[in-house]
Amino acid sequence: MAKTRRTITVLPPGYERNRYRWRRKILANIVRAAKKAGVKYDDSHTFEVVVLLYLKKGKRHEIHDVDNRLKDILDALQGRFGGPHSKHRLIENDRQVCRVIIEKQVIPKSLSDDAGGRLLVRPYERRRWPLQRSKGDQFRKPRRKYAVA
């Protein structure tokens, strides 16, 4: 039996000043990709969201904070457009998102000016992070190797 695919990857639209229109386009792209891949999530799933955001070189790249663009993207996944929730949404609530990785870059020369980047949504899997000393070790103080004289 084939393994069920649970990861969705899309090319989001380029950023627009009208945040609600941009959110609607993001959601439309991700819902279309989810249907095509046959992926459906429910409110018991937890997620990881990875975003590579392309912005135009210059002022647009410099003034946009990644935290604000991330909020727009997470709101889009929930179907939030300033009013009631949309009937079509990928996730029920952004509290289901356990890990986010986001990076902004200038649009590469090989792509058109309306390139938006890449967006990946997949089930969350617990992994060891570089700041963890060992599995399950959050931020314990390191043990001293030598006695202090």
Side-chain angles (χ1 to χ4, degrees):
M1 188 164 128
K3 188 175 179 180
T4 306
R5 187 172 166 192
R6 309 247 340 257
T7 299
I8 304 167
T9 305
V10 297
L11 302 174
Y15 178 74
E16 294 185 23
R17 277 194 176 145
N18 184 330
R19 294 168 62 181
Y20 300 120
R21 187 178 325 150
W22 189 53
R23 289 178 186 182
R24 285 182 197 280
K25 288 181 179 180
I26 291 170
L27 182 62
N29 286 1
I30 198 105
V31 167
R32 192 177 317 116
K35 283 182 181 178
K36 184 177 180 181
V39 176
K40 189 165 187 158
Y41 299 127
D42 62 35
D43 56 357
S44 68
H45 288 106
T46 54
F47 304 97
E48 175 177 12
V49 177
V50 182
V51 181
L52 174 57
L53 186 63
Y54 290 146
L55 296 168
K56 290 182 182 176
K57 186 176 181 178
K59 187 177 179 183
R60 180 159 287 179
H61 184 269
E62 294 169 9
I63 66 170
H64 287 285
D65 298 335
V66 293
D67 60 327
N68 293 328
R69 298 299 66 85
L70 178 62
K71 177 156 179 37
D72 287 329
I73 292 166
L74 293 178
D75 285 348
L77 297 178
Q78 297 176 81
R80 292 184 152 243
F81 307 119
H85 283 280
S86 170
K87 293 177 185 175
H88 304 287
R89 55 183 162 206
L90 184 70
I91 62 175
E92 190 66 31
N93 195 306
D94 61 4
R95 70 174 159 247
Q96 295 173 261
V97 177
C98 293
R99 179 182 297 125
V100 173
I101 301 170
I102 185 167
E103 181 177 337
K104 69 177 181 178
Q105 293 182 0
V106 174
I107 300 172
K109 291 180 181 179
S110 61
L111 299 177
S112 65
D113 284 347
D114 61 346
R118 297 204 177 275
L119 172 62
L120 178 134
V121 179
R122 62 183 170 200
Y124 171 72
E125 291 180 21
R126 195 169 169 182
R127 295 181 179 95
R128 184 171 172 268
W129 281 83
L131 295 176
Q132 289 178 300
R133 295 173 47 83
S134 64
K135 196 171 190 177
D137 177 26
Q138 293 304 317
F139 291 99
R140 273 192 254 161
K141 291 181 182 178
R143 293 183 184 174
R144 294 184 188 196
K145 292 184 177 181
Y146 303 101
V148 179

